[in-house]
Amino acid sequence: MDYKYIEQLLERYFNAETSLEEEQMLRTFFSQKELPADMQQWRALFTADDEEMLGDDFDARIMEAIAQQEAADEEVPVVKAREVTLTKRLLPLFKAAAVVAIILTLGGALQAPFDNSWNTLDDYASYEQTLDSVAAVSPVQAENITDAAADSTNVLLAPKQKQ
């Protein structure tokens, strides 16, 4: 028998394009004792006996299998699935963003002056900020001392010295 023709019939069979006569030819071909190695895999598909078909007691066997499965399911605890919304999935990201916002806010607050002596840009420009020199800072007086000569504007930084 021509194997090319059988391969074409197989292809048409799997595309559901064969007639009953062509399917009978495939059954006859696969019932042979010697088949090519590449066609051995399809033998069981075409050589099923009538005894292996569903049979009259098929419905009863299926109902029995369903009953056994239901009995087995009753013994296993039921696990309920939880619904995970987008908000719940992004909650760790929201928490991280809040922590970053708090850190940035505190960092900005620590850099701002604590008194209102720097009200205008001219006041700020007249002072030089020196972070690494302690000698540039004038002596600090307590705020509760009521000395007319000593107000909080003298406390910050020394004025820029001309060289």
Side-chain angles (χ1 to χ4, degrees):
M1 187 170 273
D2 187 17
Y3 295 122
K4 295 276 187 194
Y5 180 68
I6 295 298
E7 288 176 359
Q8 290 174 354
L9 277 181
L10 275 174
E11 186 175 333
R12 289 182 55 216
Y13 177 80
F14 291 125
N15 290 331
E17 298 172 350
T18 56
S19 64
L20 292 176
E21 291 84 20
E22 292 171 331
E23 290 178 17
Q24 184 59 40
M25 288 176 61
L26 285 172
R27 283 190 201 95
T28 305
F29 173 78
F30 283 104
S31 63
Q32 297 176 4
K33 292 185 180 181
E34 293 183 22
L35 289 176
D38 60 336
M39 298 211 182
Q40 287 287 339
Q41 60 183 345
W42 307 116
R43 179 186 290 256
L45 183 66
F46 294 103
T47 59
D49 294 335
D50 289 336
E51 298 171 6
E52 294 179 14
M53 294 295 172
L54 300 179
D56 295 334
D57 63 338
F58 176 73
D59 291 334
R61 288 185 292 161
I62 291 296
M63 294 306 287
E64 182 181 333
I66 291 172
Q68 289 175 355
Q69 183 66 34
E70 287 177 355
D73 287 345
E74 289 175 3
E75 297 171 3
V76 176
V78 177
V79 177
K80 294 184 180 180
R82 292 184 304 163
E83 182 179 338
V84 180
T85 62
L86 183 63
T87 306
K88 287 181 182 177
R89 288 183 70 191
L90 294 178
L91 190 60
L93 183 63
F94 294 153
K95 289 179 181 179
V99 168
V100 169
I102 289 171
I103 290 172
L104 290 176
T105 302
L106 290 177
L110 290 176
Q111 290 181 357
F114 287 107
D115 60 350
N116 293 331
S117 64
W118 303 47
N119 293 332
T120 64
L121 212 55
D122 294 334
D123 292 339
Y124 182 77
S126 65
Y127 293 105
E128 179 181 348
Q129 291 185 346
T130 309
L131 298 177
D132 59 343
S133 174
V134 178
V137 178
S138 62
V140 177
Q141 292 184 353
E143 290 183 15
N144 59 358
I145 299 174
T146 57
D147 185 12
D151 62 310
S152 63
T153 57
N154 294 334
V155 172
L156 291 174
L157 298 174
K160 188 186 284 186
Q161 295 177 358
K162 295 182 180 179
Q163 295 178 353

